[in-house]
Amino acid sequence: MDIEIKDVEHRYQMKTPFERLAIYDVNAVIKEGSYVAVIGHTGSGKSTLLQHLNGLLKPTKGQIRLGGDVLEAGKKNKHLKALRKKVGIVFQFPEHQLFEETILKDISFGPINFGMSREKAEEKAREMLKLVGLDEELSDRSPFELSGGQMRRVAIAGVLAMEPEVLVLDEPTAGLDPRGRKEIMDMFYSLHKQRNLTTILVTHSMEDAAAYADELIVMHKGTVKAKGTPRELFSRKDDIAAFGLDLPETIKFQKRLEETLGITFKAPILTIEEAASEIKALFQEENAL
């Protein structure tokens, strides 16, 4: 399903002395099956926006259309439960939300809550365990006996077990080392491709945004300031700096390489693999002369 965000505003603690405008005039269209990264500095409104996507927060102005469901300011939505099944959110440190005595029960909890039989829910839980790279033999263990990375995978399996059409990721690699971060991000990208998920990544990591997303949405001071592909936006160095963001490390490396060698690459280099390929091509050209 496509997601259409139209003139969305959200104010916290309305009609109190603590009222605060968090986001305003937010407009965006996220196409079904796309991988979109929402980027912006701390306090730009990224997390507030994502909580509107399954009704955890409701607009104080404007509307969000998710397929046939509409979340609109001042109107009740009777189908929030069904919507929350379609839109799964993986929050920062999702392992903090684990609570059941066994891994199998924890992953099964969501599907059972949405009406699936216990037998089918447990079958689905075992399937999701494999999908996130964990051994089915772990299913009867307590999730609290696992490593931090394994606990995170269990929590992610619990979201995937509800078979969402849209997967929203809020800083999903927070606290992980570089290797763990890459493993988790590669897993999400594989799931995105295999299941044709609409994936929305909220991240501070320009490297992850550049490497995985088809499109970027830049939030700045509570509203959308720019949209485009990673190559388009990261080629606008001055704009990126004005939004309080940094360039991916690969593009910084590219700039240094261009200055040192006196050359200009045709487009921004977004990944380590692209950097390696470009450097190899340079050596091959040099050897051919």
Side-chain angles (χ1 to χ4, degrees):
M1 61 182 176
D2 290 351
I3 300 173
E4 299 176 34
I5 304 168
K6 186 176 181 181
D7 300 328
V8 166
E9 170 193 283
H10 187 81
R11 294 175 182 268
Y12 287 106
Q13 297 180 296
M14 281 187 70
K15 299 178 181 179
T16 77
F18 305 103
E19 181 175 322
R20 178 173 67 86
L21 178 64
I23 58 174
Y24 68 96
D25 293 341
V26 175
N27 290 275
V29 176
I30 298 171
K31 291 293 185 181
E32 180 177 346
S34 63
Y35 194 129
V36 175
V38 182
I39 59 176
H41 58 78
T42 302
S44 61
K46 305 186 303 297
S47 293
T48 296
L49 176 60
L50 79 83
Q51 290 180 66
H52 283 74
L53 299 180
N54 75 347
L56 289 175
L57 291 177
K58 295 180 182 178
T60 52
K61 181 182 176 183
Q63 68 170 222
I64 300 176
R65 183 177 295 275
L66 303 102
D69 292 294
V70 179
L71 300 174
E72 190 166 2
K75 294 185 179 180
K76 290 186 178 181
N77 186 298
K78 299 178 181 179
H79 308 290
L80 277 180
K81 187 172 182 179
L83 177 63
R84 286 170 181 164
K85 185 178 185 299
K86 293 179 185 177
V87 182
I89 298 182
V90 178
F91 290 102
Q92 287 188 50
F93 304 107
E95 59 272 22
H96 293 174
Q97 299 165 45
L98 300 174
F99 65 96
E100 283 281 13
E101 60 185 349
T102 70
I103 291 169
L104 192 66
K105 286 183 178 180
D106 214 300
I107 300 173
S108 303
F109 178 83
I112 291 171
N113 195 42
F114 281 106
M116 190 179 289
S117 70
R118 182 171 297 278
E119 182 181 356
K120 286 187 177 179
E122 290 184 353
E123 182 181 334
K124 177 64 63 177
R126 290 188 176 92
E127 179 188 338
M128 293 304 107
L129 264 181
K130 293 179 183 177
L131 197 65
V132 300
L134 293 176
D135 198 314
E136 191 180 332
E137 293 179 0
L138 296 172
S139 61
D140 292 326
R141 289 178 60 180
S142 165
F144 306 107
E145 295 176 4
L146 304 178
S147 69
Q150 288 175 319
M151 288 173 70
R152 185 162 300 189
R153 288 174 184 262
V154 169
I156 292 166
V159 175
L160 295 173
M162 292 183 283
E163 300 184 318
E165 298 175 32
V166 179
L167 189 60
V168 181
L169 310 171
D170 184 10
E171 300 285 357
T173 60
L176 297 179
D177 60 27
R179 179 178 178 180
R181 188 177 83 183
K182 187 175 189 310
E183 286 176 354
I184 290 290
M185 290 305 301
D186 284 348
M187 181 191 74
F188 282 129
Y189 191 72
S190 177
L191 289 169
H192 167 74
K193 289 295 188 182
Q194 290 173 13
R195 297 181 167 243
N196 194 34
L197 293 170
T198 302
T199 304
I200 302 168
L201 170 68
V202 175
T203 184
H204 285 99
S205 170
M206 298 303 100
E207 287 71 31
D208 289 346
Y212 298 100
D214 306 320
E215 183 180 4
L216 305 181
I217 295 175
V218 181
M219 294 287 292
H220 183 64
K221 295 183 178 179
T223 195
V224 174
K225 286 294 187 180
K227 292 178 248 184
T229 68
R231 289 195 201 282
E232 289 169 348
L233 289 185
F234 287 131
S235 66
R236 293 156 51 184
K237 181 180 178 181
D238 291 342
D239 286 346
I240 291 296
F243 300 140
L245 301 173
D246 207 353
L247 292 170
E249 290 297 326
T250 51
I251 295 180
K252 291 180 182 178
F253 171 75
Q254 174 186 350
K255 297 294 182 185
R256 289 195 295 269
L257 197 61
E258 289 175 334
E259 291 169 2
T260 301
L261 300 180
I263 59 173
T264 301
F265 291 100
K266 293 179 182 179
I269 296 174
L270 300 181
T271 66
I272 292 173
E273 290 76 15
E274 285 184 12
S277 178
E278 291 288 352
I279 292 170
K280 181 180 178 181
L282 279 176
F283 278 113
Q284 289 173 339
E285 287 177 14
E286 183 70 23
N287 291 333
L289 295 177

